[in-house]
Amino acid sequence: MAASTEMLSEKLKSLSVTAPLTKFPNCHPEVNTVDIYRSHLTTILADVTGVDSSVIYPALQWTQTLEKGDMVLPVPALRVKGKKPNELAEEWLSKFPESPLVHKPTINGTFLQFFFKVDKLAQLLIPSILTRGKEFGNNPYNGLKDPEDPSKGKKRIIVEFSSPNIAKPFHAGHLRSTIIGGFLSNLYAGAGWDVVRVNYLGDWGKQYGLLALGFEKYGSEEALALDPINHLYEIYVAINKDMSAEKDQIKALEEAGQDASELKNEGLDEQARRYFKAMVDKDEKALAQWARFREMSIKRYKETYARLNIHFDDYSGESQVKEEKMEFMAKKMEETGISEISEGAVIVDFSKHIPGKAGKSLERPIIKKKDGTALYLTRDISEIMQREEKYHFDHMIYVVASQQDLHLKQLFKIVELIGYKELAAKVQHINFGMVLGMSTRKGTVKFLDDILRDVADKMHEVMQKNQSKYEQVENPLAVADVLGISSVMVQDMSGKRINNYPFDMDAMTSFEGDTGPYLQYAHARLCSIARKAAVPAEDLLNANLSLLSEPHAENLIRVISQYPDVVQNTLKTLEPTTILTYLFKMSHILSSSYDHLRIMGSEKELMTARMALYEAARIVLSNGMRLLGLSPVERM
Ligand code: ARG
């Protein structure tokens, strides 16, 4: 980092910025070019306004649209008393000195608008993008324990996401959790955090006793090896059918006044209970069978996750919660008077611990059933403690559907009420809405693979419509797969997380509108231009950037300069759409530039400068796509 700071000050000197940049918290000019402007403007404005720079720096805002300038200052934010904002603005404008980096500001209402001198911006920005490459947009300071002292290490965050249930369908909620969680993990990793990706599987409970019985009856080793996920699901469905038939039978017998005790004592339900009891008691055979199902499922999940560029550091799950830990937590709840016995079960009645509506709204969850069985919530309470002990994390995010809002509120509140206040303050639920009508072309979906196969088929059909292009793609099926995945992911990330959205295969695979294929096309087009121009990387670094003076070039430079700020802002919103909206905005500016900033037929020096700009744009697009979890394609 020291070397890049030195290089930067040399560069600034060459641009006649002689005063050293003042340091501010969260100001990192060596990774964010716009921070140079922030610092520079703050120094000027402190002079001009007499206000302390610590007030000015955080008041400078970035803009959503280029017409509004590259940065604005809301005059009232400086809290200067005695004059009206527009008077102050006039006064400051008249005092504003010549700057090598920014034009004289313009006044818009109570705002001062600043436009960067784009020739200088280009010289600071483009070489930095070209040299930082895949790192551009990352800013490692956010995750440092002490931003002033990197030797103190990184903060650690756990992102728990995906968390499907073994032998049960991987539904839309799991899909969204996977997409959003993968993205958040990338976001924090780029911000310098030590990220631990945890998958909390549904893999424990009586139903896995039942599954083992089902395997004895319906299972096949061959089918299991071939496709464990589907096979286990088939078994699960079949054995559950038997189980409900058994229930009906018991009911009928009892209604007829006959003896149902044999079925009750020896039937599937009781056998499943016993089998699960054996698992809990660590019966070797029972555990081995269950472990096999679990491992085979994880192996297959991993393959699917890999298609989405996702990996996990820890496959945890309900089964991994230790009995001892649950006993410990149960005791804690009892001792603190948080839990109580109600009709033989252990419950938490929140209304007794939190006054008013807030307490009532948390309801009365059961912690332990009459028969002693621990529940979903019980396991989560103990799992939080286990994670704290294992990872000593600074923050933890649960990416779970908003249907479980209440569950997570109850969980966090219990942790707080029993006295783990610091722990409760470190955990966060990131929720999301539903996908409506998610189905494959053959009918309802069961597994992620089914959806991915379907969208890939659809993209393959679309690609084949342009035969001449299709023939140039080296591995069309692999590209179709990537495009299909991009379609699904971009549709998912288009709105705010909390919104529901309809699963629309036709819309998501279209090249029209803001879709995954559109974004991929924008990237592939830049790659194709680069291939044809074949300008050596070295020449790009030495390009004469002052030739980039057309309005289209200027806008493109300005919009790509915003990328690091957009990423910083995303750390606040934690919304994939913050990145996505920016990438579409940038791609639109890009696509309107091609006719004005031609490569072929341009003179060599101009061609090199434009190629440097296009390559910088490609890096930004590619980095943004990869941050979202997409794999940018080079041809399609
Ligand atoms: N397996 C659960 C489900 O499918 C999701 C788990 C969410 N995470 C948690 N810690 N409870 O609904």
Side-chain angles (χ1 to χ4, degrees), residues 350-395:
F350 280 102
S351 67
K352 290 187 185 156
H353 311 290
I354 303 160
K357 260 197 193 145
K360 268 221 174 72
S361 71
L362 288 171
E363 301 180 5
R364 301 169 80 239
I366 301 178
I367 301 296
K368 206 186 249 184
K369 286 209 285 200
K370 234 182 179 160
D371 63 5
T373 341
L375 288 132
Y376 183 48
L377 180 59
T378 329
R379 293 186 186 283
D380 260 322
I381 297 168
S382 303
E383 169 76 0
I384 265 201
M385 284 306 296
Q386 288 188 181
R387 287 185 195 167
E388 167 79 343
E389 284 160 17
K390 184 166 177 189
Y391 291 112
H392 309 285
F393 56 83
D394 297 282
H395 195 71

Side-chain angles (χ1 to χ4, degrees), residues 342-468:
S342 168
E343 293 169 35
V346 180
I347 65 148
V348 174
D349 184 348
F350 280 102
S351 67
K352 290 187 185 156
H353 311 290
I354 303 160
K357 260 197 193 145
K360 268 221 174 72
S361 71
L362 288 171
E363 301 180 5
R364 301 169 80 239
I366 301 178
I367 301 296
K368 206 186 249 184
K369 286 209 285 200
K370 234 182 179 160
D371 63 5
T373 341
L375 288 132
Y376 183 48
L377 180 59
T378 329
R379 293 186 186 283
D380 260 322
I381 297 168
S382 303
E383 169 76 0
I384 265 201
M385 284 306 296
Q386 288 188 181
R387 287 185 195 167
E388 167 79 343
E389 284 160 17
K390 184 166 177 189
Y391 291 112
H392 309 285
F393 56 83
D394 297 282
H395 195 71
M396 173 155 68
I397 282 175
Y398 291 79
V399 189
V400 184
S402 58
Q403 280 119 313
Q404 296 194 27
D405 280 356
L406 178 62
H407 170 77
L408 286 142
K409 276 192 191 135
Q410 292 170 336
L411 168 64
F412 297 169
K413 207 61 189 179
I414 288 174
V415 171
E416 186 190 315
L417 287 174
I418 58 178
Y420 297 107
K421 294 216 166 57
E422 264 175 49
L423 177 56
K426 296 195 293 193
V427 291
Q428 180 181 17
H429 177 202
I430 291 291
N431 61 0
F432 51 82
M434 291 187 292
V435 187
L436 309 170
M438 187 163 94
S439 67
T440 62
R441 290 195 240 180
K442 279 195 220 120
T444 51
V445 344
K446 292 192 201 90
F447 294 103
L448 183 51
D449 280 332
D450 303 332
I451 310 159
L452 298 186
R453 184 210 51 230
D454 239 43
V455 279
D457 285 352
K458 174 86 198 253
M459 282 319 302
H460 192 223
E461 281 167 24
V462 176
M463 282 165 70
Q464 279 166 311
K465 286 191 183 138
N466 190 334
Q467 267 304 322
S468 65

Side-chain angles (χ1 to χ4, degrees), residues 209-434:
L210 184 64
L211 181 69
L213 299 176
F215 191 76
E216 281 166 18
K217 196 163 167 192
Y218 299 109
S220 129
E221 286 298 335
E222 239 178 9
L224 183 68
L226 216 58
D227 189 350
I229 300 217
N230 273 304
H231 188 52
L232 290 177
Y233 177 65
E234 281 161 16
I235 292 169
Y236 189 77
V237 170
I239 197 77
N240 266 295
K241 223 172 164 185
D242 294 351
M243 174 106 130
S244 51
E246 181 182 288
K247 271 198 190 127
D248 290 346
Q249 222 183 327
I250 292 175
K251 204 169 148 210
L253 283 172
E254 284 177 340
E255 274 171 8
Q258 286 173 348
D259 180 18
S261 59
E262 195 187 323
L263 256 188
K264 274 183 164 168
N265 296 336
E266 296 303 323
L268 270 176
D269 195 33
E270 176 55 23
Q271 286 177 47
R273 197 192 63 75
R274 272 188 235 145
Y275 197 104
F276 179 58
K277 174 96 180 15
M279 284 162 62
V280 172
D281 294 341
K282 305 200 165 67
D283 175 275
E284 252 174 61
K285 233 177 109 196
L287 269 187
Q289 179 71 313
W290 162 85
R292 219 159 61 91
F293 293 159
R294 184 179 197 266
E295 270 153 34
M296 290 172 106
S297 301
I298 289 178
K299 188 164 167 253
R300 183 50 61 92
Y301 283 137
K302 279 185 181 164
E303 289 166 18
T304 309
Y305 290 136
R307 288 166 77 185
L308 302 172
N309 301 319
I310 282 169
H311 74 274
F312 288 92
D313 302 292
D314 190 354
Y315 279 85
S316 175
E318 294 179 42
S319 68
Q320 304 303 303
V321 181
K322 302 219 163 53
E323 292 291 326
E324 304 87 77
K325 189 51 89 194
M326 284 197 285
E327 272 157 36
F328 175 82
M329 294 308 263
K331 213 180 223 157
K332 262 257 130 67
M333 284 191 262
E334 199 186 313
E335 281 168 11
T336 47
I338 299 309
S339 62
E340 63 190 89
I341 311 268
S342 168
E343 293 169 35
V346 180
I347 65 148
V348 174
D349 184 348
F350 280 102
S351 67
K352 290 187 185 156
H353 311 290
I354 303 160
K357 260 197 193 145
K360 268 221 174 72
S361 71
L362 288 171
E363 301 180 5
R364 301 169 80 239
I366 301 178
I367 301 296
K368 206 186 249 184
K369 286 209 285 200
K370 234 182 179 160
D371 63 5
T373 341
L375 288 132
Y376 183 48
L377 180 59
T378 329
R379 293 186 186 283
D380 260 322
I381 297 168
S382 303
E383 169 76 0
I384 265 201
M385 284 306 296
Q386 288 188 181
R387 287 185 195 167
E388 167 79 343
E389 284 160 17
K390 184 166 177 189
Y391 291 112
H392 309 285
F393 56 83
D394 297 282
H395 195 71
M396 173 155 68
I397 282 175
Y398 291 79
V399 189
V400 184
S402 58
Q403 280 119 313
Q404 296 194 27
D405 280 356
L406 178 62
H407 170 77
L408 286 142
K409 276 192 191 135
Q410 292 170 336
L411 168 64
F412 297 169
K413 207 61 189 179
I414 288 174
V415 171
E416 186 190 315
L417 287 174
I418 58 178
Y420 297 107
K421 294 216 166 57
E422 264 175 49
L423 177 56
K426 296 195 293 193
V427 291
Q428 180 181 17
H429 177 202
I430 291 291
N431 61 0
F432 51 82
M434 291 187 292

